[in-house]
Amino acid sequence: MAVRAVRGAVQLDQDEAGHMGLRVGELLTAVLDRNELVADDLISIWFTATPDLHSDFPAAAARGLGIVDVPLICAQELDIDGAMPRVVRILVHVETYLSRAEISHVYLGATAALRKDIAQ
């Protein structure tokens, strides 16, 4: 078994706590499903949000999914001119038998343009 990192992102339509929870929950669920992971495989999750998001902590969505005993941390993305607005990114550290090449990184909707090299 190896420690791997899984990347992902989602763009929110609005900065509203319920919407953030829904969209980030969708992203986390997709990461778990596409990589055949369960909560026990998770080591930690790093969330970042663009500076225009401040209605809630993205990590609250993980807690809402029942991910309660995994270390989570939130940070703010750099405020870069022209960057895609209202984006939450994740970096999930997992234990898995998947090779790096088999990891499915998840970029939902418009965020697929952020990482065309690894978005699946």
Side-chain angles (χ1 to χ4, degrees):
M1 187 167 297
V3 173
R4 302 282 185 224
V6 185
R7 291 291 319 266
V10 65
Q11 185 179 39
L12 279 60
D13 297 325
Q14 60 204 9
D15 182 24
E16 191 272 323
H19 181 64
M20 180 180 290
L22 180 72
R23 297 293 285 151
V24 174
E26 178 184 356
L27 175 61
L28 289 170
T29 299
V31 164
L32 294 173
D33 289 349
R34 292 185 195 179
N35 291 286
E36 299 180 6
L37 299 167
V38 296
D40 200 44
D41 298 324
L42 303 175
I43 296 169
S44 65
I45 307 174
W46 185 285
F47 297 84
T48 65
T50 51
D52 52 359
L53 294 174
H54 24 69
S55 62
D56 201 0
F57 294 100
R63 300 294 185 224
L65 291 175
I67 301 171
V68 296
D69 61 350
V70 174
L72 309 175
I73 192 165
C74 298
Q76 189 176 76
E77 286 284 337
L78 296 173
D79 191 8
I80 304 297
D81 288 337
M84 186 179 290
R86 301 177 316 282
V87 173
V88 173
R89 293 172 173 86
I90 60 172
L91 177 63
V92 183
H93 300 99
V94 301
E95 290 181 312
T96 181
Y97 289 106
L98 295 175
S99 69
R100 282 189 183 132
E102 294 172 312
I103 293 292
S104 180
H105 303 281
V106 180
Y107 288 79
L108 299 178
T111 64
L114 297 172
R115 290 299 306 266
K116 294 178 184 175
D117 57 327
I118 63 172
Q120 298 174 352

